Amino acid sequence: MRILASADWHLRSKHSAFPLGEDGASDLLRAQKEAIEQFVGLYRSGDYDLTVIAGDLTEYSVLDVATLNALAYFMRLLSEEDHGPVLILEGNHCIERKDNLYTVMGAFGLVVADHVKVSIHQELVEYEDFCVWCVPY
């Protein structure tokens, strides 16, 4: 079984060591977007049975516009092409309330494709040949 895994991205635009640009994004967030593109490149070029992002996509539960745009960009990249199942676990930094990530995605019209699953509570996610027990946070 081949698994592409990552965790703890902590996307954020505000950090004392990185001044904000005119677009509201810092060099930190721009570097994080480049890392996202590299990760999605691996997802698209590999033959993985499962891709997992295990929590803390964002540093804060309330997102500024630049960070929200980066998260939306990532979700669009993953949803554009189906290269196998993607499982995203919500982390303790991402939440303010239990359904925050779904709320954010819904509020901005982000459509997650059938091959992308966001888990926000303990659950068994069943795939054709295997199962994953999700324990977010």
Side-chain angles (χ1 to χ4, degrees), residues 8-12 54-63 89-97 100 136-137:
D8 295 306
W9 293 6
H10 293 274
L11 297 176
R12 62 178 166 174
D56 290 339
L57 285 175
T58 60
E59 177 66 19
Y60 307 108
S61 61
V62 177
L63 306 179
L89 302 175
E90 191 170 46
N92 64 314
H93 284 253
C94 303
I95 60 167
E96 182 172 70
R97 56 193 177 275
N100 185 58
Y137 326 130

Side-chain angles (χ1 to χ4, degrees), residues 9-53:
W9 293 6
H10 293 274
L11 297 176
R12 62 178 166 174
S13 62
K14 296 179 183 171
H15 189 285
S16 59
F18 299 94
L20 296 179
E22 291 180 21
D23 60 354
S26 65
D27 288 341
L28 172 63
L29 188 59
R30 280 186 269 285
Q32 289 174 320
K33 283 181 74 175
E34 288 178 21
I36 288 170
E37 291 168 349
Q38 292 175 2
F39 181 83
V40 172
L42 287 170
Y43 166 70
R44 290 179 175 173
S45 66
D47 182 25
Y48 300 101
D49 298 299
L50 178 66
T51 297
V52 177
I53 300 132

Side-chain angles (χ1 to χ4, degrees), residues 67-94:
T67 305
L68 183 58
N69 286 338
L71 180 60
Y73 174 69
F74 166 65
M75 296 306 289
R76 277 194 293 275
L77 289 178
L78 276 182
S79 297
E80 285 175 349
E81 301 174 23
D82 182 352
H83 291 273
V86 177
L87 180 59
I88 300 171
L89 302 175
E90 191 170 46
N92 64 314
H93 284 253
C94 303

